[in-house]
Amino acid sequence: MPVLSVKIGRMTLKNPVMPASGTFGYGEEYSKLIDLNKLGAIVTKCVRLKPTLGNPPPRLAETPCGLIASVGLQSIGVEAFIKEKMPFLRRFNTRIIANIGGETVEEYVEIAERLNGVKGLDGLEVNVSCPNIKRGGIAFGVDPETVYKVVSQVRKAAKNLTLIVKLTPNVTNIVEIAEACEQAGAEALTLINSPLGMAVDIEKRKPKLSTVLGGLCGPAIKPIGLRCVWQVAQRVRIPIIGVGGIFTATDALEYIIAGATAVQVGTANFVKPRVMLEIIEGIEKYLEEHEINNINKLIGSLQV
Amino acid sequence: MPVLSVKIGRMTLKNPVMPASGTFGYGEEYSKLIDLNKLGAIVTKCVRLKPTLGNPPPRLAETPCGLIASVGLQSIGVEAFIKEKMPFLRRFNTRIIANIGGETVEEYVEIAERLNGVKGLDGLEVNVSCPNIKRGGIAFGVDPETVYKVVSQVRKAAKNLTLIVKLTPNVTNIVEIAEACEQAGAEALTLINSPLGMAVDIEKRKPKLSTVLGGLCGPAIKPIGLRCVWQVAQRVRIPIIGVGGIFTATDALEYIIAGATAVQVGTANFVKPRVMLEIIEGIEKYLEEHEINNINKLIGSLQV
Amino acid sequence: MFLFESEILSNVRVADDLYLLTFRAPEIALRAQPGQFVHVRCNKGEHPFLRRPFSIYLVERETGMVKVLYKTVGIGTALLAEKRKGEQLDVLGPLGKGFNSKAVQKSALLIGEGAGLASLMFLAEDLRKRGVEVSAILGGQRETVHIGKRYFKALGVKVETVEGDTKKEEYQREMAELFREALGKGVDRAFGCGSNHLLALTAHVARMLKIPYEVSIYQNMACGVGACLCCVRKIREEGKLTYKLVCKDGPVFNAEEVVWEV
Amino acid sequence: MFLFESEILSNVRVADDLYLLTFRAPEIALRAQPGQFVHVRCNKGEHPFLRRPFSIYLVERETGMVKVLYKTVGIGTALLAEKRKGEQLDVLGPLGKGFNSKAVQKSALLIGEGAGLASLMFLAEDLRKRGVEVSAILGGQRETVHIGKRYFKALGVKVETVEGDTKKEEYQREMAELFREALGKGVDRAFGCGSNHLLALTAHVARMLKIPYEVSIYQNMACGVGACLCCVRKIREEGKLTYKLVCKDGPVFNAEEVVWEV
Ligand SMILES: Cc1cc2nc3c(=O)[nH]c(=O)nc-3n(C[C@H](O)[C@H](O)[C@H](O)COP(=O)(O)OP(=O)(O)OC[C@H]3O[C@@H](n4cnc5c(N)ncnc54)[C@H](O)[C@@H]3O)c2cc1C
Ligand SMILES: Cc1cc2nc3c(=O)[nH]c(=O)nc-3n(C[C@H](O)[C@H](O)[C@H](O)COP(=O)(O)OP(=O)(O)OC[C@H]3O[C@@H](n4cnc5c(N)ncnc54)[C@H](O)[C@@H]3O)c2cc1C
Ligand SMILES: Cc1cc2nc3c(=O)[nH]c(=O)nc-3n(C[C@H](O)[C@H](O)[C@H](O)COP(=O)(O)O)c2cc1C
Ligand SMILES: Cc1cc2nc3c(=O)[nH]c(=O)nc-3n(C[C@H](O)[C@H](O)[C@H](O)COP(=O)(O)O)c2cc1C
Ligand code: FES
Ligand code: FES
């Protein structure tokens, strides 16, 4: 049996497959359909400082081979997360990663401080695609200096947790942003959050989403995610978690070969709730068939 | 019968539908399958100063609801274009737009000078997604200052032609680039060229394209194209030509309602060679059914 | 909540663009409650991408059969209509919170429109089994309304119908008027499923007449299980505005609580 | 070049994962030349996105029938295999430049592998009609090779076969050896279709023996008509390296001109 275990920062994962933030709640709903113990990690819905309602409906529209969504970082808030969600999550024999978001640097820091040391929590995934209200709603993640500031401060605030930063692809040069994160002390990067998209209802002549714009997810974006992972993998030393349009083991293997140490599965969970288990099995089968005894030998093995 | 005619710079088009550059050759091949006189315009494959071979194979890989391609601006060169292709093209009762590309500002200017005044040619579409060799291969179109320079100089070099600039979506802020084009004298904008993507062959552990990266086209990118058109339409006064994933009249109408004055159809031609005629008919039918007597009333009519 | 490949037993057109799909899913048949739904994969590939939600139309607990009544409106339902007997169907269910049929003692009024009929049949059967007096108002296209009438009558339900284009004001007014009259005769509780327009209109009537009214509402869904937060609708809860999940907190809500945005 | 919805007359499995598709397309049947291909839409929706190219296997000019022999290898061919008699097929063709069969006076050698057989049958028929002596070497999976042998024999073609895994070196060597022997007996011209590997190997042999050798080569295609420049292969023309379009300048090239990159 090939070794599937990988390291992300200080965390050893039993395998490289985990859900993408926001597509798996806090694991509760899907725990009725799949055994969470089998996953490499669980990544939670975005945790914010205070409970927040999120965007008005409609929040969802289907698009070719994907969807656009604008949930708007609806959150139960960090206190409720710790009290109501962590007790459930820490029962499982897997790594728990909290995805966090805020509207100011201070908010990120406060959440990180509050989560640091929470029992059973292993990592933080800092979502820098959130709108920065001090800069007129432009995402934190589009500017290397702002990203550096957020990441280095969260780094100080949450010393006990593996620090992962999740980047937006809506930038001219994602490598520059990735390098800023590495310098600021990130232990891993998650690539990619969703490209900005839009859809129009031609009968009503209105946008299909209440917020006009939304994040494009699903198989449609796989080529973009792969491109970002490959570009960044050439330039940083920290591990990368690949995400974007992973639907099958083949998709996951494309990411791994392009340079991802682990992968996240997002919207595919909606379509095939057991897809992560299929992907784990598929990766294992591929390794066996190709006589690769350890997945780490496959990571970034792309011959260019 | 509703009025379908629109204005792009100094050109009046009989209807708003035309092929996207690079997907329709110089019209010759498809002239056997559809009547070119029925199109609003014809946009040619990228014309460069000298004949260029383009990228090695493989140049194409299919992806979910789309494809990635890296033809690499293979071109017959501007002289051959004028001698061998224009005589055929000017026979048709439609507007002819030459898409141009270069590796230096000077190259753009030289092509523009050469094309200015060529009989039967109505417009230039400046493709600024080409790699700028003086800046290490970074595309001209990602930096407002470089774009300004290219566009203002081409503006001077080709006074007799309607000047359109085709932008890349691979930027943090497409509005900023669009504004630079407007200030530099562009009479219209084409949005979008293809987002950068990648695909991996997991059996060979090699990229599916010889150049590793390629442009993602097809229905998959429609939400991204629509988003860019809408964002830019809020901020510039010059007309926008929408392109990206248009497969049906509904897709074209989404673009028009979001703010596009005309649309280009790219990879859909490969799948349905008569699709542009279907789209023209579909737009006409929509206008009739909605009792809109002039397409110009529909442009940018999105209620936000 | 179960996920499995079930066998299609039949899939036939019953009226206009309305189809009746029957599949074997004993776990769902055993546990389903009126007003709950199943989340179905209409195709194999990657486009269209998402599952499609359909109310559970009827179940046969003994044989494990589940029925869904659906209208072909787009690509997903068109692909579903192509499926044949013997093929597999990827189903997730039963999902959501159904109608509170236990709250009815003596009499109930149902109002349904087009495919909205689908979520009321199971409820009607349930109520009739418990001896409740049920009357119904059905609206929509001719054939759809007729077939609904036939099915409902077989259960001993008193039916009134309005044939017409559900988007026309005239039709809407007639439906609301019938609803008002029927409620006026006094019923314990009313249940509705149909367009937003109809539900908003009738919710207003029920509130005026102070009769409890439960409605099954629609929203675009992704996961269907409460994990993605995509399917919210605006709800007034104890005077406070909030968003609730149609897939998990609904699809049935008290009409009074729903904030209608038409 | 024609584009139309043609009627499927039959679509049946003939061996292993090999299917024979017959459709009515008089314009294509009338004009098609051996080695040309058709570009087929395997599905209706937006995924998989592109058409799929298939060699014209045989035509019946009188009845307007066109046949395609295809192997199911992925999503497009799997969808094609699901199509039934009576359904419509969206076809574009005939496309490309075929074999130069007129150049043969007396004798020809064909070498085909797996589905590569598909582009040689029409050629064999054409050559036989003109009284040319044809021999063939067929390689690949057992069933595929056998059916090819049967078809070829019916045309009066002398056939040798190699059963085996086309990726194995042993198989490749045997094919090349048979090819060398057959060429050694002296033929006017050889024609090949198969994996890059096989074609490169046999091209080498033909060059050594100075026998003209035409090969039908593969490349991923988008438009199929020469408009997109996606389908290039490296070609040596008058000593100069250039790219040529497989869909328009090919798919048949002189083996000598092809730059083999294996
Ligand atoms: C809880 C729930 C229960 C449902 N029960 C039934 C049922 O029993 N029978 C039935 O026929 N339908 C039911 N529906 C609606 C059904 O899910 C949609 O008709 C179906 O998803 C359309 O899929 P499609 O691919 O054919 O259409 P699409 O191609 O996705 O869309 C076609 C058109 O329908 C509109 N549309 C799509 N989904 C919805 C929706 N949920 N509400 C309103 N408009 C929509 C789109 O905006 C578009 O204009 C239910 C929906 C929900 C949320
Ligand atoms: C000019 C020409 C003529 C052809 N004639 C025939 C024919 O007569 N009979 C026949 O069975 N096939 C023929 N082919 C190949 C056929 O087009 C492919 O097998 C088909 O496109 C695969 O589609 P798919 O969706 O099933 O596979 P996909 O899902 O697209 O791919 C499945 C696998 O096949 C590989 N593949 C796809 N296309 C090709 C290709 N063109 N060459 C090599 N590998 C490929 C992919 O890389 C992948 O590994 C021809 C190809 C060309 C270019
Ligand atoms: C409904 C929904 C909610 C999401 N919420 C979050 C979130 O809270 N934080 C975050 O970092 N990403 C969020 N994402 C982005 C996903 O984690 C992921 O990056 C994206 O869906 C691309 O992956 P996919 O193509 O596999 O779906 C969300 C995506 C969806 C569809
Ligand atoms: C094969 C191919 C070649 C292309 N060549 C050019 C080109 O020369 N110049 C250019 O500006 N865009 C070129 N494009 C981009 C298209 O014009 C268009 O912007 C893109 O395909 C998106 O539209 P679509 O989704 O409708 O295909 C090319 C696209 C393809 C697929
Ligand atoms: S559809 Fe995902 S929460 Fe309701
Ligand atoms: S496939 Fe388009 S040029 Fe050959």
Side-chain angles (χ1 to χ4, degrees):
Chain A
M1 287 254 293
V3 175
L4 283 187
S5 151
V6 296
K7 274 200 86 176
I8 298 290
R10 286 162 274 171
M11 299 184 293
T12 301
L13 315 185
K14 68 177 77 158
N15 67 59
V17 181
M18 65 188 89
S21 173
T23 65
F24 207 69
Y26 304 93
E28 286 160 325
E29 290 80 12
Y30 283 110
S31 68
K32 293 167 200 151
L33 297 169
I34 70 168
D35 181 357
L36 303 186
N37 292 306
K38 295 208 169 141
L39 301 177
I42 296 173
V43 184
T44 70
K45 171 70 192 155
C46 188
V47 177
R48 298 192 49 181
L49 192 57
K50 301 266 176 263
T52 31
L53 260 191
N55 292 329
R59 295 178 170 184
L60 169 74
E62 206 178 24
T63 64
C65 286
L67 57 85
I68 53 173
S70 71
V71 172
L73 300 183
Q74 170 172 344
S75 176
I76 55 170
V78 67
E79 291 309 325
F81 170 69
I82 296 171
K83 260 199 234 105
E84 292 161 24
K85 304 299 177 183
M86 277 308 298
F88 172 81
L89 285 169
R90 75 169 73 91
R91 295 206 320 247
F92 295 95
N93 175 21
T94 184
R95 300 300 178 174
I96 308 298
I97 299 168
N99 180 280
I100 67 168
E103 287 180 340
T104 60
V105 178
E106 295 71 36
E107 209 178 317
Y108 278 102
V109 171
E110 251 186 272
I111 306 167
E113 275 170 356
R114 190 64 191 86
L115 289 175
N116 192 35
V118 164
K119 196 177 140 213
L121 190 65
D122 300 289
L124 282 190
E125 182 179 67
V126 182
N127 174 3
V128 293
S129 303
C130 309
N132 179 347
I133 50 163
K134 293 217 177 122
R135 288 195 54 202
I138 293 173
F140 288 92
V142 302
D143 171 48
E145 278 171 47
T146 318
V147 162
Y148 183 89
K149 202 162 147 195
V150 175
V151 176
S152 55
Q153 299 217 16
V154 169
R155 173 69 300 175
K156 278 182 226 144
K159 293 227 169 72
N160 300 331
L161 299 169
T162 286
L163 180 60
I164 309 164
V165 186
K166 181 166 176 186
L167 301 187
T168 166
N170 299 306
V171 294
T172 306
N173 182 354
I174 197 160
V175 169
E176 174 185 278
I177 310 283
E179 285 172 338
C181 292
E182 186 176 35
Q183 281 153 23
E187 292 168 79
L189 298 171
T190 302
L191 303 171
I192 57 173
N193 214 317
S194 27
L196 261 182
M198 173 175 166
V200 173
D201 181 328
I202 66 164
E203 290 306 324
K204 300 188 184 142
R205 277 177 246 167
K206 280 171 108 173
K208 286 192 180 171
L209 300 184
S210 70
T211 49
V212 188
L213 307 184
L216 179 61
C217 311
I221 68 166
K222 189 182 66 167
I224 300 178
L226 277 168
R227 182 261 294 177
C228 292
V229 165
W230 183 74
Q231 286 180 321
V232 170
Q234 311 303 300
R235 300 286 288 276
V236 304
R237 271 157 315 219
I238 51 180
I240 294 169
I241 306 173
V243 53
I246 297 177
F247 208 74
T248 62
T250 300
D251 300 330
L253 288 161
E254 284 194 62
Y255 271 97
I256 292 168
I257 292 168
T261 298
V263 293
Q264 292 180 352
V265 178
T267 45
N269 290 307
F270 306 159
V271 185
K272 305 189 285 181
R274 296 206 182 101
V275 68
M276 288 192 282
L277 304 185
E278 278 173 34
I279 290 174
I280 296 167
E281 280 162 30
I283 293 175
E284 192 161 351
K285 192 158 154 255
Y286 175 92
L287 293 174
E288 275 167 8
E289 281 174 7
H290 293 75
E291 298 178 0
I292 302 170
N293 62 8
N294 188 322
I295 189 160
N296 289 282
K297 295 188 185 158
L298 195 66
I299 297 166
S301 62
L302 191 79
Q303 295 157 38
V304 179
Chain B
M1 287 253 294
V3 174
L4 282 187
S5 151
V6 295
K7 274 201 85 175
I8 297 290
R10 285 162 274 171
M11 301 184 292
T12 300
L13 315 186
K14 67 177 79 158
N15 67 59
V17 181
M18 64 187 90
S21 172
T23 64
F24 206 70
Y26 304 93
E28 287 160 326
E29 290 79 13
Y30 282 110
S31 69
K32 292 167 202 151
L33 296 169
I34 69 168
D35 180 356
L36 303 186
N37 291 307
K38 295 208 169 142
L39 302 178
I42 295 173
V43 184
T44 70
K45 171 71 194 154
C46 188
V47 176
R48 297 192 49 180
L49 192 57
K50 301 267 176 260
T52 30
L53 259 191
N55 292 329
R59 295 178 171 184
L60 169 74
E62 204 178 26
T63 64
C65 286
L67 57 85
I68 54 173
S70 70
V71 172
L73 300 183
Q74 171 173 344
S75 177
I76 55 171
V78 68
E79 292 309 327
F81 170 70
I82 295 170
K83 260 198 236 108
E84 293 161 26
K85 304 299 176 183
M86 276 309 298
F88 172 82
L89 284 170
R90 72 169 74 92
R91 294 207 319 249
F92 296 94
N93 174 22
T94 184
R95 300 300 178 173
I96 308 297
I97 300 169
N99 180 280
I100 66 167
E103 286 178 341
T104 60
V105 178
E106 295 70 36
E107 210 178 316
Y108 278 102
V109 171
E110 252 186 90
I111 305 166
E113 276 169 355
R114 190 67 192 83
L115 289 175
N116 192 36
V118 163
K119 193 176 142 213
L121 189 66
D122 301 289
L124 282 190
E125 183 179 67
V126 182
N127 174 2
V128 293
S129 303
C130 307
N132 179 347
I133 51 164
K134 292 215 178 127
R135 290 194 54 201
I138 291 173
F140 288 92
V142 302
D143 171 48
E145 279 170 44
T146 319
V147 162
Y148 183 91
K149 201 162 148 195
V150 175
V151 175
S152 55
Q153 300 217 17
V154 169
R155 173 68 302 175
K156 278 182 223 141
K159 293 228 168 70
N160 300 331
L161 298 169
T162 286
L163 179 60
I164 308 164
V165 186
K166 180 166 176 186
L167 300 188
T168 165
N170 299 305
V171 294
T172 307
N173 184 354
I174 197 161
V175 169
E176 174 184 278
I177 311 284
E179 286 171 338
C181 292
E182 187 176 33
Q183 280 153 25
E187 292 167 79
L189 298 171
T190 301
L191 304 173
I192 58 172
N193 215 315
S194 27
L196 263 183
M198 172 176 169
V200 174
D201 182 328
I202 66 164
E203 290 306 323
K204 299 189 184 139
R205 276 176 247 167
K206 280 171 111 172
K208 287 192 179 172
L209 301 184
S210 69
T211 49
V212 187
L213 306 185
L216 179 62
C217 311
I221 67 166
K222 190 182 65 166
I224 299 178
L226 276 170
R227 182 261 296 178
C228 292
V229 166
W230 183 75
Q231 285 181 321
V232 171
Q234 310 304 300
R235 300 286 288 274
V236 304
R237 269 156 317 218
I238 50 179
I240 295 169
I241 306 173
V243 53
I246 296 178
F247 209 74
T248 62
T250 300
D251 300 330
L253 288 161
E254 284 195 64
Y255 270 97
I256 292 169
I257 293 168
T261 297
V263 293
Q264 292 180 351
V265 179
T267 44
N269 289 307
F270 306 159
V271 185
K272 304 189 285 180
R274 297 206 181 103
V275 68
M276 288 192 282
L277 305 185
E278 279 173 33
I279 290 174
I280 296 168
E281 281 162 29
I283 293 175
E284 193 162 350
K285 192 158 154 254
Y286 176 93
L287 293 174
E288 275 168 9
E289 282 174 5
H290 293 75
E291 299 179 357
I292 302 170
N293 62 7
N294 189 321
I295 190 161
N296 289 283
K297 294 188 185 159
L298 195 65
I299 297 166
S301 61
L302 191 78
Q303 295 157 37
V304 179
Chain C
M1 192 194 305
F2 301 90
L3 172 70
F4 46 87
E5 293 283 325
S6 70
E7 190 197 336
I8 294 179
L9 301 172
S10 74
N11 187 20
V12 291
R13 187 178 159 280
V14 291
D16 300 322
D17 38 14
L18 215 57
Y19 288 74
L20 185 61
L21 169 71
T22 309
F23 54 94
R24 192 188 311 285
E27 294 86 345
I28 296 180
L30 215 57
R31 285 170 186 80
Q33 297 299 322
Q36 287 192 300
F37 68 96
V38 288
H39 213 24
V40 173
R41 212 168 156 207
C42 297
N43 60 315
K44 281 185 203 145
E46 293 157 334
H47 182 78
F49 187 53
L50 295 169
R51 287 174 179 267
R52 301 293 192 248
F54 298 102
S55 300
I56 297 169
Y57 176 67
L58 275 178
V59 301
E60 262 184 47
R61 307 218 196 262
E62 314 76 45
T63 60
M65 277 197 328
V66 178
K67 286 171 193 280
V68 154
L69 186 77
Y70 65 96
K71 194 176 159 182
T72 51
V73 299
I75 176 167
T77 46
L79 288 168
L80 194 57
E82 281 177 15
K83 295 216 184 257
R84 296 281 158 268
K85 187 182 151 153
E87 287 184 41
Q88 299 290 91
L89 187 74
D90 181 342
V91 202
L92 176 64
L95 301 174
K97 202 180 111 303
F99 293 108
N100 190 1
S101 75
K102 301 277 175 323
V104 186
Q105 305 297 328
K106 276 190 9 227
S107 63
L109 172 67
L110 317 186
I111 184 161
E113 184 178 69
L117 168 65
S119 70
L120 297 176
M121 187 63 70
F122 191 3
L123 173 66
E125 197 200 52
D126 191 67
L127 290 167
R128 292 296 297 146
K129 273 191 188 151
R130 293 183 21 244
V132 171
E133 205 175 285
V134 183
S135 49
I137 302 165
L138 298 179
Q141 282 178 285
R142 214 177 94 87
E143 262 186 73
T144 305
V145 161
H146 275 240
I147 197 143
K149 185 169 178 172
R150 189 146 55 82
Y151 291 168
F152 269 133
K153 284 212 158 164
L155 291 172
V157 174
K158 231 184 87 213
V159 184
E160 284 183 283
T161 62
V162 181
E163 288 169 25
D165 180 344
T166 60
K167 281 184 204 103
K168 289 264 163 71
E169 217 195 297
E170 192 192 325
Y171 159 90
Q172 304 249 356
R173 216 175 322 125
E174 203 176 333
M175 287 292 279
E177 198 43 54
L178 281 181
F179 187 71
R180 184 194 307 272
E181 276 171 29
L183 284 192
K185 291 178 195 155
V187 289
D188 289 353
R189 193 169 272 256
F191 301 90
C193 186
S195 67
N196 239 335
H197 230 93
L198 177 74
L199 296 182
L201 219 61
T202 48
H204 182 71
V205 174
R207 192 168 59 244
M208 304 293 284
L209 301 180
K210 296 212 169 64
I211 292 187
Y213 182 31
E214 294 179 22
V215 291
S216 172
I217 63 177
Y218 276 7
Q219 185 54 284
N220 297 340
M221 287 184 184
C223 71
V225 301
C228 74
L229 313 182
C230 283
C231 63
V232 293
R233 284 282 292 261
K234 207 183 269 178
I235 300 290
R236 196 180 291 104
E237 199 182 30
E238 297 162 11
K240 253 179 51 191
L241 288 184
T242 182
Y243 294 133
K244 292 226 167 187
L245 300 176
V246 172
C247 74
K248 197 179 168 186
D249 306 321
V252 175
F253 291 92
N254 288 327
E256 258 194 315
E257 293 179 351
V258 179
V259 180
W260 301 101
E261 289 169 327
V262 210
Chain D
M1 189 193 306
F2 301 91
L3 172 69
F4 46 87
E5 293 283 325
S6 71
E7 190 197 337
I8 296 180
L9 301 171
S10 73
N11 188 21
V12 291
R13 189 179 157 277
V14 292
D16 300 321
D17 37 15
L18 216 58
Y19 288 74
L20 186 60
L21 169 72
T22 309
F23 52 93
R24 192 188 311 283
E27 294 87 344
I28 298 181
L30 215 59
R31 285 168 186 82
Q33 296 301 320
Q36 287 193 300
F37 68 96
V38 288
H39 213 25
V40 174
R41 209 165 161 210
C42 297
N43 60 315
K44 282 185 201 145
E46 293 157 333
H47 182 78
F49 187 53
L50 295 169
R51 287 173 180 268
R52 301 293 191 250
F54 299 101
S55 301
I56 296 169
Y57 176 68
L58 275 178
V59 302
E60 264 185 46
R61 309 218 194 261
E62 314 76 46
T63 61
M65 277 198 326
V66 178
K67 286 171 193 279
V68 154
L69 187 75
Y70 65 97
K71 194 175 157 182
T72 51
V73 299
I75 176 167
T77 45
L79 287 169
L80 194 57
E82 281 178 15
K83 295 213 184 260
R84 295 281 159 268
K85 187 182 151 154
E87 288 183 40
Q88 300 290 93
L89 187 74
D90 181 343
V91 202
L92 175 64
L95 301 173
K97 200 182 113 303
F99 293 107
N100 190 1
S101 76
K102 301 276 177 320
V104 186
Q105 305 297 329
K106 276 193 5 230
S107 62
L109 173 66
L110 317 186
I111 183 162
E113 184 179 69
L117 166 66
S119 70
L120 298 176
M121 187 63 69
F122 191 3
L123 173 67
E125 198 200 51
D126 191 69
L127 291 167
R128 291 297 298 146
K129 273 191 189 150
R130 292 182 23 243
V132 171
E133 205 174 283
V134 183
S135 50
I137 302 165
L138 299 179
Q141 282 179 284
R142 215 177 92 89
E143 263 185 73
T144 305
V145 161
H146 275 240
I147 196 141
K149 186 169 179 171
R150 189 144 56 83
Y151 293 166
F152 269 134
K153 284 213 157 161
L155 292 172
V157 173
K158 230 185 85 211
V159 184
E160 284 183 283
T161 61
V162 181
E163 290 169 23
D165 179 346
T166 60
K167 282 184 203 104
K168 289 263 162 72
E169 217 196 297
E170 194 191 323
Y171 159 91
Q172 306 251 354
R173 216 174 323 122
E174 203 175 333
M175 287 291 280
E177 198 42 55
L178 281 180
F179 187 71
R180 183 194 308 272
E181 277 172 28
L183 285 191
K185 291 176 193 153
V187 290
D188 289 354
R189 192 170 273 256
F191 301 91
C193 185
S195 68
N196 238 336
H197 229 96
L198 177 74
L199 296 182
L201 219 61
T202 49
H204 182 72
V205 174
R207 192 169 59 244
M208 304 293 285
L209 301 180
K210 298 210 167 66
I211 292 186
Y213 182 32
E214 294 179 21
V215 291
S216 171
I217 62 178
Y218 276 8
Q219 186 55 283
N220 296 339
M221 286 184 183
C223 72
V225 301
C228 74
L229 312 182
C230 282
C231 63
V232 294
R233 285 282 293 261
K234 207 184 268 178
I235 300 290
R236 195 182 291 104
E237 201 184 27
E238 298 162 9
K240 253 180 51 190
L241 287 184
T242 182
Y243 294 132
K244 292 227 167 187
L245 300 175
V246 171
C247 73
K248 196 178 169 187
D249 305 321
V252 174
F253 292 91
N254 288 328
E256 258 194 315
E257 294 178 352
V258 179
V259 180
W260 300 101
E261 290 170 325
V262 209

